[in-house]
Amino acid sequence: MAYTIALAGKGGVGKTTITGMLIKYLAEKTKSIILAVDADANSNLNEVLGVEIENTLGDIREQLENNESTQVIPPGVDKAAWTELQLSGALSEGSDFDLLVMGRTQGKGCYCFVNGLLTTQIQRYTNNYKYIVVDNEAGLEHMSRGILPKVDMLILVSDSSRRGVQAAGRIYELAQSLKLGAKEIKLIINRAPNGVAPEGALEEAKSYGLDILGVLPNNDEIFELDGEGKPTADVSMDNEFKKALYGLFDKLEFK
Ligand SMILES: Nc1ncnc2c1ncn2[C@@H]1O[C@H](COP(=O)(O)OP(=O)(O)OP(=O)(O)O)[C@@H](O)[C@H]1O
Ligand SMILES: [Mg+2]
């Protein structure tokens, strides 16, 4: 069974940046191909990793749902078999990871059949990997619907403001009420001025019982690379942010 690490936090705090580096870190450290899952409706993990997306699960779901009118599935072809084929085409391959993009969340109506198919396929896929890393949106949409496998570790990301940590605390409570099963839950405070978290943020973390894995500095190079559309996950090891983040990952003792 793959070990699943999910990242979550409110908008714009650095989840995707950290997820991208975690994928690279785990691939180097464990010498295995990592399954990267972009579970944010506004997907952009591929940009941080430097790969193009071909097809998302949302696209596949839509094609299945609209099949009556569009006939994308040739007559006589089984829906499950068709879905399986499409899913294998929906993985974007990097040098040391495969990226699966969930895409837009569903609209109105019941998608139980399609979700069921997707869930089965994803579970089949996930058995091929040692580590799965999932970039989420704050609401943990795909996790809550059970489409993605159970979470082993949840990494919450926050900026260094009190309200940022409060948002992380609420996601922590949400994760518990959803019974995601995460045995380890950690908080990373990102973009702290001079790499030091303000007292208010620390107090807030304490009030939720959040375990702080570490505090990361703001870093101009990361911001600039991202602005130029370059993959930040590939920044050199000289980068202070990357160095600090890898130090935090070392504490988690992945094998
Ligand atoms: N430590 C940092 N120093 C400077 N810039 C950073 C840092 N961490 C993240 N950023 C920048 O902040 C912006 C938002 O980061 P990112 O996309 O990783 O956040 P996110 O939480 O995934 O956002 P969203 O909620 O939109 O998915 C990006 O431009 C990114 O390069
Ligand atoms: Mg993001």
Side-chain angles (χ1 to χ4, degrees), residues 9 17 32-33 86 103 130 133 141 150 154 174 179 191 197 202 206 236:
T17 305
S32 65
I33 304 281
Q86 296 302 310
K130 201 168 161 189
V133 181
E141 191 74 30
K150 273 212 172 297
L154 177 65
L174 171 69
K179 299 196 169 52
R191 302 191 81 164
L202 298 176
K206 202 170 168 196
S236 93

Side-chain angles (χ1 to χ4, degrees), residues 70-84:
T70 57
Q71 305 272 306
V72 287
I73 307 178
V77 173
D78 175 56
K79 261 193 176 185
W82 182 87
T83 309
E84 190 168 351

